[in-house]
Amino acid sequence: MTPFLDSDLRLGRAVALIGADLGKYPAGNSLLVVGDDSSLLIDPSVSVFDRGGAPAPVDRMLLSHAHEDHMAGVGLYPDAPLHVHHDDLLGVQSLDGLMHMYGMTPANEAEFRTVVLEEFHYTERPDAQGVADGDRFDLGGGLRVEVVHLPGHTRGHCGFLVEPDGVFFVADVDLSSFGPYYGDHWSDLEDFEAALTRCREIDARWYATFHHKGVVEGRALFLEALDAFEAVIARRERRLLDFLAEPRALADIVAHRLVYRPGVDIMWADEAETRTAQSHLSRLLRDGQVHQPEPGRYRAV
């Protein structure tokens, strides 16, 4: 068992284990919740792995979703039951399942498999158990953790509400200036927007993110940050419509970039840009804001 660090933040009976640079990828911010009878570790990050584990015994683990950075420390606790939403179970139970969720090209997948294993210490857990929205884990002393399904980033992405202490772990609703990420095979733009609406409905004292912000105290500050986070979606859509003042092919939109800055060189950038553009184009076509003057080309109405 490792000691507490000065960067750890106590939130009632929960402790936010803040990673390097407030959990900037590939690091992350995990949450340790300790009741009278048992303890629970949410999203054991690379940071938890690097420090040798959590600063308390871990009886059970919860994952907000199946992405490599959220389960790097799973292998530290091989005997602790592991839970993730049913829709993301495949990514925890096997590496093949995780790769299916990303939906990469064969060349990128081959490279990323090595990254996931070597840099994120991925450990297959075929014994992992599924959870659903509203499921609760009672830890004793009146402390409970409730599953809040917030799909969009992945199909099974969840937040966790720690009550009665008032901690809402929102995972990759991370309030960053980068904005919502919905560029994987397992992602959905409109599900993400619905998840943001649900986040607005939940009142808590502390809101903890896996990346970037760390902990936001107070509902007013959280809603302000959430508004700015969601506004990135509208900005992407406006940029796309501006770009479609002239007919463009999907490849043109991908090269123009809606998500990443020009010059950012990561293996999945073009795939994420493609899926993001397709999500917005589908909606704009449906709503009559874009049409196809010829097959394969798009133009704003």
Side-chain angles (χ1 to χ4, degrees):
M1 190 167 64
T2 64
F4 285 96
L5 303 178
D6 291 341
S7 57
D8 295 339
L9 298 178
R10 292 187 178 273
L11 313 172
R13 286 169 285 180
V15 182
L17 309 177
I18 304 297
D21 296 326
L22 291 179
K24 181 179 179 181
Y25 184 88
N29 308 314
S30 304
L31 192 71
L32 176 67
V33 189
V34 181
D36 289 355
D37 299 332
S38 62
S39 64
L40 187 153
L41 179 62
I42 296 173
D43 283 2
S45 66
V46 168
S47 305
V48 167
F49 182 91
D50 289 345
R51 68 192 279 177
V58 172
D59 298 312
R60 188 179 301 275
M61 290 180 288
L62 273 180
L63 300 180
S64 62
H65 61 292
H67 272 172
E68 75 287 349
D69 49 331
H70 294 256
M71 46 186 172
V74 162
L76 297 173
Y77 303 101
D79 298 323
L82 178 64
H83 306 268
V84 68
H85 191 276
H86 293 287
D87 289 341
D88 278 15
L89 260 179
L90 74 168
V92 177
Q93 292 176 332
S94 76
L95 183 56
D96 287 343
L98 181 63
M99 292 300 115
H100 177 72
M101 289 176 58
Y102 293 128
M104 293 179 170
T105 62
N108 283 345
E109 179 181 315
E111 182 179 351
F112 199 54
R113 280 176 178 263
T114 300
V115 171
V116 166
L117 290 169
E118 295 182 358
E119 299 181 22
F120 292 93
H121 321 291
Y122 178 81
T123 302
E124 292 185 339
R125 286 289 301 264
D127 62 316
Q129 303 168 47
V131 296
D133 185 63
D135 284 354
R136 289 183 174 183
F137 295 85
D138 294 317
L139 305 182
L143 189 65
R144 61 189 182 275
V145 177
E146 181 175 341
V147 177
V148 181
H149 190 204
L150 302 172
H153 182 61
T154 69
R155 295 178 189 176
H157 181 273
C158 291
F160 301 107
L161 183 61
V162 183
E163 291 285 37
D165 293 33
V167 182
F168 187 25
F169 183 82
V170 293
D172 274 2
V173 179
D174 60 22
L175 310 179
S176 67
S177 60
F178 178 83
Y181 179 86
Y182 40 91
D184 289 341
H185 171 55
W186 227 235
S187 303
D188 185 274
L189 166 58
E190 293 184 347
D191 280 351
F192 209 137
E193 291 174 320
L196 297 178
T197 297
R198 186 165 189 198
C199 284
R200 286 189 169 81
E201 299 168 352
I202 295 178
D203 190 13
R205 177 178 176 183
W206 293 290
Y207 299 83
T209 71
F210 186 77
H211 294 300
H212 300 291
K213 290 291 184 182
V215 176
V216 175
E217 185 168 3
R219 179 173 170 79
L221 287 177
F222 172 71
L223 291 177
E224 180 181 336
L226 192 65
D227 286 343
F229 181 69
E230 184 170 17
V232 174
I233 297 174
R235 286 203 300 274
R236 289 173 184 157
E237 202 147 278
R238 286 195 300 271
R239 286 185 59 231
L240 176 57
L241 284 169
D242 289 345
F243 187 62
L244 296 181
E246 300 294 333
R248 311 281 188 178
L250 180 60
D252 300 325
I253 301 169
V254 170
H256 182 64
R257 293 206 168 188
L258 300 176
V259 180
Y260 294 102
R261 295 186 304 275
V264 171
D265 184 22
I266 53 177
M267 70 179 75
W268 59 80
D270 282 355
E271 295 172 33
E273 292 285 352
T274 299
R275 291 194 182 96
T276 299
Q278 289 171 329
S279 295
H280 285 279
L281 286 170
S282 176
R283 175 155 69 186
L284 292 169
L285 285 165
R286 182 192 68 202
D287 294 346
Q289 297 185 68
V290 164
H291 72 115
Q292 291 184 274
E294 58 186 276
R297 296 180 74 80
Y298 305 87
R299 185 171 186 170
V301 174

